[in-house]
């Protein structure tokens, strides 16, 4: 899809009827994508889970495509690379090479001390899915993951039931009147409240909650990515 078509799509107002139609048209692809995420959880080792977390650190304030390209650039450095090495590899690939390389090093050091980089064991240790996300979003040692990107990471590794409230999803919800404003929720309480409204809307339109997130995102971007 070229840029002009993508901009035109983003400006088209979303309606409930269009959401249902888009889900009907794309549900096979969406379910396949969710199946890929589930396969990550079934098969991934801790190094792969760490790579998925780094991808979400890269997408914050950027884009999914920039995140994918950035991961490719630093994959060989994720286990032991210094901030300088990471920043050099990210130059020209990410808009914030210095800050994101710093986030990676700080988060890696924190996880090494917290769980020995045993991310699977750590994630499995939470009985409450909200506490699992709180650990990521509110920990001082995990840099670059607020509630949106913590949800993004958990979804991408196959853990369902988390809303990724990025600008595209929020615009859709505002356009159909589920929320009053597309402004990002600035606190945990507001994030949870918006997430619950999305959950309620999913029940109303009878679309699976995790599928709906991808439907709305694809309606604004024209793509179904990570």
């Amino acid at each position: 899809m070229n840029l002009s078509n993508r901009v035109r799509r983003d400006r088209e107002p979303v309606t409930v009827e269009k959401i249902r139609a888009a889900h009907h048209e794309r549900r096979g692809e969406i379910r396949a994508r969710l199946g890929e995420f589930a396969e990550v959880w079934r098969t991934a080792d801790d190094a792969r889970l760490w790579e998925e977390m780094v991808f979400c650190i890269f997408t914050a304030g950027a884009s999914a495509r920039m995140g994918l390209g950035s991961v490719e650039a630093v994959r060989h450095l994720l286990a032991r690379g210094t901030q300088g090495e990471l920043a050099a590899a990210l130059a020209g690939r990410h808009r914030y090479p210095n800050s994101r390389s710093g986030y990676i090093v700080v988060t890696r050091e924190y996880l090494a001390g917290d769980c020995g980089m045993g991310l699977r064991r750590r994630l499995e240790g939470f009985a409450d899915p909200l506490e699992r996300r709180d650990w990521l979003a509110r920990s001082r040692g995990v840099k670059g993951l607020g509630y949106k990107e913590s949800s993004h990471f958990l979804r991408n590794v196959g853990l369902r039931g988390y809303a990724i409230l990025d600008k595209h999803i929020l615009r859709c919800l505002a356009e159909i009147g589920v929320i009053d404003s597309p402004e990002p929720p600035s606190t945990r309480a507001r994030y949870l409240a918006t997430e619950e409204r999305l959950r309620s809307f999913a029940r109303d339109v009878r679309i699976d909650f995790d599928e709906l997130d991808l439907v709305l995102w694809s309606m604004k971007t024209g793509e179904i990515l990570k």
Side-chain angles (χ1 to χ4, degrees):
M1 177 181 296
N2 65 40
L3 180 59
S4 62
N5 286 340
R6 184 173 299 177
V7 170
R8 188 159 53 247
R9 178 188 293 271
D10 186 61
R11 289 178 177 172
E12 293 177 356
V14 171
T15 66
V16 173
E17 291 74 19
K18 288 180 179 179
I19 292 169
R20 287 194 171 110
H23 179 252
H24 180 76
E25 177 187 350
R26 302 168 187 167
R27 62 188 173 188
E29 186 180 356
I30 286 170
R31 289 172 182 174
R33 183 71 72 196
L34 289 170
E36 291 173 7
F37 298 150
E39 184 67 15
V40 172
W41 186 249
R42 284 193 294 269
T43 64
D45 59 13
D46 289 321
R48 173 66 187 281
L49 296 178
W50 167 231
E51 180 181 309
E52 293 292 342
M53 185 180 289
V54 169
F55 166 74
C56 291
I57 291 172
F58 285 151
T59 61
S63 68
R65 289 203 173 278
M66 183 174 288
L68 289 168
S70 297
V71 167
E72 288 293 327
V74 301
R75 181 174 285 119
H76 64 294
L77 297 168
L78 291 181
R80 301 180 187 83
T82 65
Q83 181 174 358
E85 290 170 335
L86 288 159
L90 287 172
R93 304 299 293 271
H94 198 282
R95 66 176 61 170
Y96 306 117
N98 293 320
S99 63
R100 294 304 182 265
S101 59
Y103 289 172
I104 292 170
V105 171
V106 170
T107 302
R108 187 178 63 199
E109 291 175 353
Y110 168 75
L111 293 174
D114 179 79
C115 59
M117 295 300 292
L119 277 168
R120 176 178 291 277
R121 183 179 69 253
R122 191 67 162 95
L123 294 171
E124 288 175 335
F126 292 95
D128 183 345
L130 294 184
E131 290 182 2
R132 179 185 294 122
R133 184 172 59 187
D134 284 342
W135 170 64
L136 292 166
R138 305 178 83 178
S139 170
R140 293 182 179 179
V142 178
K143 297 297 184 182
L145 295 183
Y147 276 89
K148 180 190 74 172
E149 289 304 336
S150 294
S151 301
H152 194 180
F153 165 66
L154 293 169
R155 193 281 307 275
N156 282 6
V157 300
L159 299 173
R160 301 183 68 157
Y162 300 99
I164 306 163
L165 299 178
D166 76 347
K167 62 183 180 181
H168 302 299
I169 304 299
L170 294 169
R171 286 174 187 166
C172 287
L173 296 181
E175 287 173 16
I176 57 179
V178 172
I179 58 177
D180 296 328
S181 168
E183 287 299 311
S186 57
T187 66
R188 177 183 188 273
R190 290 176 180 173
Y191 199 98
L192 293 179
T194 304
E195 185 174 56
E196 185 52 39
R197 290 191 180 189
L198 178 60
R199 200 181 308 278
S200 177
F201 176 70
R203 290 192 293 267
D204 290 344
V205 296
R206 298 184 179 181
I207 297 176
D208 175 83
F209 177 72
D210 295 275
E211 291 180 21
L212 180 59
D213 197 281
L214 283 171
V215 170
L216 297 179
W217 199 82
S218 71
M219 291 179 74
K220 287 298 185 184
T221 66
E223 301 177 289
I224 300 171
L225 293 176
K226 294 177 65 172

